[in-house]
Amino acid sequence: IVREGASLTLVNSVRLDERGLADLDALGAVRNLVRIGALHDRDDSFYVDRYHPTFWATRGIEPEGLSVDRRLVPGGDAPFDGCTIFEFATTANPEAILVLGRAGGIAIACDALQNWLQPDEFFTDETVELMGKLGFWQPANIGPLFALRSAPQAEDYGRLLEIPFRHALCGHGEPLRDTAHEDYAATVARTFAS
């Protein structure tokens, strides 16, 4: 959630229960809903129906049953002030990262950046084991399923790392504070070492 005054922008929407929705409403009015990843769309319709926000999506995303009001385009209009739009150019599936120009820069990602340190109580033992084998439980990680399905190339991550940011809020995992840029730079160097 990005708040500007009384206006809220939701990125990577996840349906909240009634208490969570009441807390959301107490924060302000939902004006924008933003989809930055091709593999995440389950709860967008709920928020469109409930709040009637402007629906933004990365180029190439064509959500079933929803109309995109505005496209996220690097250098174009953004859903909130101080937003840099980064778009992957080499991936098989559309993906973007938004960098919020506050607190030294906050990268808001979907699947391309993850920081999943450990499973929580909602995972089955089998899922924990499988995801461990696939490499999910790692700090400052490139999403393993994203890497498999979208095949990002080093040049995309190189362009991303030209944008300054200190923190990362990812679609999967814990917030990464203060060292996000250098931590992801190290991951990119390891991942794409030739």
Side-chain angles (χ1 to χ4, degrees), residues 65-89:
L66 288 177
S67 296
V68 175
D69 298 311
R70 306 287 304 270
R71 288 290 177 184
L72 295 169
V73 178
D77 291 339
F80 48 83
D81 289 337
C83 177
T84 299
I85 300 166
F86 172 84
E87 182 178 66
F88 282 82

Side-chain angles (χ1 to χ4, degrees), residues 2-161:
V2 177
R3 182 167 58 180
E4 289 184 302
S7 296
L8 305 178
T9 296
L10 306 182
V11 183
N12 296 328
S13 71
V14 175
R15 187 168 177 172
L16 301 170
D17 62 17
E18 289 304 316
R19 181 176 175 183
L21 290 168
D23 290 343
L24 177 65
D25 292 339
L27 289 175
V30 176
R31 300 286 185 228
N32 297 293
L33 176 66
V34 181
R35 183 160 167 214
I36 57 176
L39 305 177
H40 287 257
D41 66 344
R42 183 177 185 152
D43 296 317
D44 290 342
S45 294
F46 170 80
Y47 287 101
V48 168
D49 290 343
R50 182 177 176 102
Y51 295 107
H52 309 289
T54 300
F55 182 44
W56 299 72
T58 303
R59 290 188 289 192
I61 290 178
E62 301 299 333
E64 189 174 325
L66 288 177
S67 296
V68 175
D69 298 311
R70 306 287 304 270
R71 288 290 177 184
L72 295 169
V73 178
D77 291 339
F80 48 83
D81 289 337
C83 177
T84 299
I85 300 166
F86 172 84
E87 182 178 66
F88 282 82
T90 66
T91 55
N93 298 300
E95 184 95 4
I97 292 175
L98 307 179
V99 179
L100 175 59
R102 299 181 194 170
I106 304 167
I108 303 171
C110 187
D111 289 318
L113 303 179
Q114 296 183 4
N115 192 47
W116 238 342
L117 306 180
Q118 60 192 12
D120 59 31
E121 68 273 14
F122 300 107
F123 288 92
T124 65
D125 292 342
E126 295 81 12
T127 303
V128 169
E129 183 180 349
L130 176 62
M131 291 178 72
K133 288 178 182 175
L134 293 173
F136 277 90
W137 314 123
Q138 296 183 45
N141 199 15
I142 293 171
L145 189 57
F146 171 76
L148 181 67
R149 287 191 172 178
S150 295
Q153 301 299 303
E155 62 228 47
D156 274 334
Y157 283 99
R159 287 187 307 106
L160 174 63
L161 291 169

